[in-house]
């Protein structure tokens, strides 16, 4: 085996891999901060119910139009649940998209 090439991985490639890992780690920290500040809102019932989450799925706000209170409790419950599911899906998709941008589509194990 030629010197400096253990396990088929040259020293230069190993250094490059470590640098890339460090960049991703720094980017992940910045991304986490951005996701915490991000606000994503989904609605149901034509805007009767609105749910806002951060980019990392933390609930921020629930808005219920007074007209929604005229509906049955079951209907209001369905509107809230639908808006929650939509907000979660939006937040998850946004997080996934941002992580893929960060990692450059490397397909890292355990990353979404």
């Amino acid at each position: 085996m030629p010197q400096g090439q253990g396990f088929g991985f040259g020293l230069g490639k190993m250094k490059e891999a470590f640098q890339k890992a460090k960049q991703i780690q720094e980017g992940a920290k910045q991304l986490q901060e951005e996701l915490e500040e991000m606000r994503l809102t989904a609605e149901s019932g034509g805007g009767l119910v609105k749910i806002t989450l951060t980019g990392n799925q933390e609930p921020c706000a629930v808005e219920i139009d007074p007209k929604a209170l005229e509906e049955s409790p079951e209907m209001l419950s369905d509107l809230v649940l639908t808006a929650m599911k939509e907000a979660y899906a939006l937040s998850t998709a946004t997080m996934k998209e941002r992580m893929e941008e960060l990692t450059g589509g490397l397909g890292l194990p355990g990353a979404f």
Side-chain angles (χ1 to χ4, degrees):
M1 179 178 341
Q3 188 172 1
Q5 288 193 347
F7 304 104
F9 217 59
L11 232 48
K13 288 191 184 253
M14 187 178 290
K15 183 177 178 183
E16 184 180 317
F18 281 126
Q19 288 174 339
K20 181 68 174 173
K22 184 176 180 181
Q23 288 174 344
I24 290 173
Q25 183 179 23
E26 290 169 359
K29 182 179 178 183
Q30 181 180 355
L31 176 58
Q32 183 64 32
E33 291 170 3
E34 290 174 18
L35 291 171
E36 288 174 9
E37 296 297 319
M38 191 179 292
R39 298 297 180 261
L40 303 164
T41 302
E43 61 183 54
S44 65
L48 290 177
V49 175
K50 296 178 183 178
I51 303 287
T52 302
L53 301 178
T54 65
N56 59 5
Q57 291 91 37
E58 183 178 336
C60 296
V62 176
E63 296 177 47
I64 300 175
D65 187 300
K67 292 177 188 174
L69 300 175
E70 297 168 7
E71 300 293 335
S72 70
E74 294 81 15
M75 177 62 80
L76 180 56
S77 178
D78 287 346
L79 290 172
V80 171
L81 183 58
T82 298
M84 287 176 63
K85 286 180 178 181
E86 291 294 322
Y88 178 78
L90 176 60
S91 181
T92 301
T94 300
M95 181 188 295
K96 181 178 180 181
E97 179 182 303
R98 297 299 302 274
M99 282 299 292
E100 287 174 354
E101 289 172 7
L102 174 67
T103 60
L106 293 176
L108 298 174
F112 305 101

